[in-house]
Amino acid sequence: MIHLHDVVKKYKEMYSELGRDLSREEFITAGISDWAIRKYGGIKGIKQKAAIEELPPPIPEELKEPKILLLDIETSPLIVYTFDLFDQNIGLNQILRDWYVMSWSAKWLGSPPEQIMYADCRENIGDDTGLLSQIWQLIDEADIIIGQNSKRFDEKKLMARFIIKGFPPPSSYRSVDTLEVAKRVAKFTSNKLAYTTDKLCTKFKKLDHGKYAGFELWRACEAGDEGAWTEMAQYNRYDVLSLEEYYLKLRPFDKKHPNLNVFSDSFTNKCLCGSVQFTKHNRPAYENRAIYDRYICNNCGAEYKDKSYNLLSKEKRSSLKELIL
Ligand SMILES: [Zn+2]
């Protein structure tokens, strides 16, 4: 049996070769059986699973920049048998239904808010195969993935589902987890998005719950309540918009952020914020065995050092004694 992933991959390859939608006949001629096309939702369904409509138009080679994806998923609860409520230890044979991915929202960094992407499984509650295929394509495209608690939650949850559903590993990427960055660089009263986005964001603060408070939203979605799905979609999208704003506030402070300049062929250094205007600081950066010129971004204040030349002379360096650790 041909796997969904291979069908989607084939569609994507042919789509980018031809630069247009494929007909059913063309796809069958390319070796994908009519049975497989029907099984995976028809040509339209396969195109949707390839997330083609979600992808922005190709970027001209000379403007190539890293593709940075902001991502947030919502997962379902497990359904379990339990004899009691408090302090339970639930065995594997008490699981009635395992969790799955209910919805996802994502956005390419810097794209207009109306280009935010979202999909859920309301048409097929309990089956996340189509959603996983869409997210797989986006992750595969991305150079960097950004999320709140994404290293420990979203990315790992997705990998578990990809493995279970027989997907190959998506191409490798670098991760920026805003929760990890916030904990590393600052001590906010709370690191929850509800707190940090309320304090830091001006456009998109995390939404308060509407009609369905807390767990009720998940329960109603699983029961197929259309209003609940509308609310889920709204939260999921909004979380990604506020994640973007929050990430941009944290970024100048993140000394471990991936260097975006290595993704481009250009020799003009750009700050993380996109600015190319830097001012040389009157004090250089002093390290244990080196001194480098220091530059400050005129736009966001992020600091850079020019490691191409060590201002500390060879003689001075060889004269230095170091503490034994
Ligand atoms: Zn900057």
Side-chain angles (χ1 to χ4, degrees), residues 271-273 275 297 299-302:
C271 177
L272 288 173
C273 72
S275 167
C297 168
N299 179 49
C300 73

Side-chain angles (χ1 to χ4, degrees), residues 49-294:
K49 291 179 182 79
I52 282 170
E53 271 159 345
E54 320 293 1
L55 304 177
I59 303 161
E61 210 50 38
E62 68 273 16
L63 297 174
K64 221 161 194 178
E65 297 213 345
K67 298 190 78 174
I68 304 178
L69 188 72
L70 298 136
L71 179 66
D72 180 40
I73 63 166
E74 299 298 341
T75 58
S76 80
L78 285 89
I79 301 178
V80 297
Y81 291 111
T82 175
F83 288 105
D84 217 330
L85 296 177
F86 181 68
D87 200 17
Q88 292 296 293
N89 195 353
I90 294 158
L92 290 177
N93 59 2
Q94 287 167 258
I95 300 173
L96 194 56
R97 195 216 53 207
D98 216 332
W99 63 273
Y100 61 96
V101 177
M102 291 177 90
S103 69
W104 63 267
S105 183
K107 183 177 182 294
W108 294 109
L109 184 74
S111 65
E114 58 275 15
Q115 280 181 18
I116 190 156
M117 302 171 264
Y118 171 82
D120 60 42
C121 68
R122 72 179 84 180
E123 302 292 332
N124 209 355
I125 292 167
D127 181 4
D128 60 6
T129 319
L131 297 186
L132 291 171
S133 175
Q134 293 171 328
I135 309 171
W136 193 99
Q137 304 297 327
L138 291 169
I139 293 180
D140 197 54
E141 289 273 326
D143 295 305
I144 299 173
I145 290 180
I146 294 164
Q148 167 81 355
N149 199 21
S150 51
K151 282 191 188 172
R152 289 178 61 183
F153 185 80
D154 305 57
E155 288 177 22
K156 293 209 163 172
K157 284 280 192 182
L158 285 170
M159 294 309 150
R161 293 303 291 156
F162 289 154
I163 294 167
I164 288 170
K165 287 282 184 176
F167 285 82
S171 65
S172 61
Y173 54 85
R174 298 189 68 184
S175 299
V176 178
D177 181 339
T178 47
L179 178 63
E180 196 186 279
V181 178
K183 282 184 179 168
R184 173 159 42 81
V185 308
K187 177 140 180 70
F188 296 115
T189 302
S190 166
N191 287 316
K192 287 189 173 150
L193 277 187
Y195 178 87
T196 48
T197 61
D198 183 57
K199 292 283 168 205
L200 301 172
C201 299
T202 52
K203 277 186 266 168
F204 303 104
K205 297 172 189 292
K206 193 171 163 50
L207 286 179
D208 280 338
H209 269 284
K211 194 176 153 203
Y212 305 85
F215 189 74
E216 184 55 21
L217 181 63
W218 273 258
R219 202 202 53 73
C221 280
E222 286 219 284
D225 181 330
E226 200 53 37
W229 277 113
T230 307
E231 207 169 295
M232 181 69 91
Q234 195 188 3
Y235 288 131
N236 205 174
R237 283 199 185 96
Y238 213 84
D239 277 357
V240 170
L241 292 169
S242 61
L243 169 70
E244 181 176 36
E245 201 181 349
Y246 176 44
Y247 160 72
L248 294 173
K249 289 273 158 81
L250 284 181
R251 191 168 65 175
F253 293 86
D254 182 6
K255 309 272 187 207
K256 289 191 177 171
H257 196 284
N259 184 353
L260 303 185
N261 288 305
V262 297
F263 291 90
S264 131
D265 293 335
S266 164
F267 285 92
T268 308
N269 271 282
K270 255 195 202 171
C271 177
L272 288 173
C273 72
S275 167
V276 289
Q277 306 291 322
F278 300 90
T279 303
K280 191 171 163 182
H281 201 282
N282 56 12
R283 276 177 296 120
Y286 294 94
E287 300 192 353
N288 278 349
R289 299 189 67 79
I291 302 173
Y292 300 118
D293 275 332
R294 183 155 48 151

Side-chain angles (χ1 to χ4, degrees), residues 2-16 22 27 32 36-37 39-52 55 129-138 140-141 167-168:
I2 186 161
H3 191 270
L4 165 73
H5 179 74
D6 298 308
V7 175
V8 167
K9 200 170 141 200
K10 184 78 189 161
Y11 187 95
K12 227 179 139 187
E13 271 169 22
M14 291 183 67
Y15 181 90
S16 68
L22 271 84
F27 210 34
I32 306 295
I37 298 173
K39 178 171 165 60
Y40 297 127
I43 289 286
K44 210 175 139 202
I46 292 166
K47 185 186 174 192
Q48 198 186 26
K49 291 179 182 79
I52 282 170
L55 304 177
T129 319
L131 297 186
L132 291 171
S133 175
Q134 293 171 328
I135 309 171
W136 193 99
Q137 304 297 327
L138 291 169
D140 197 54
E141 289 273 326
F167 285 82

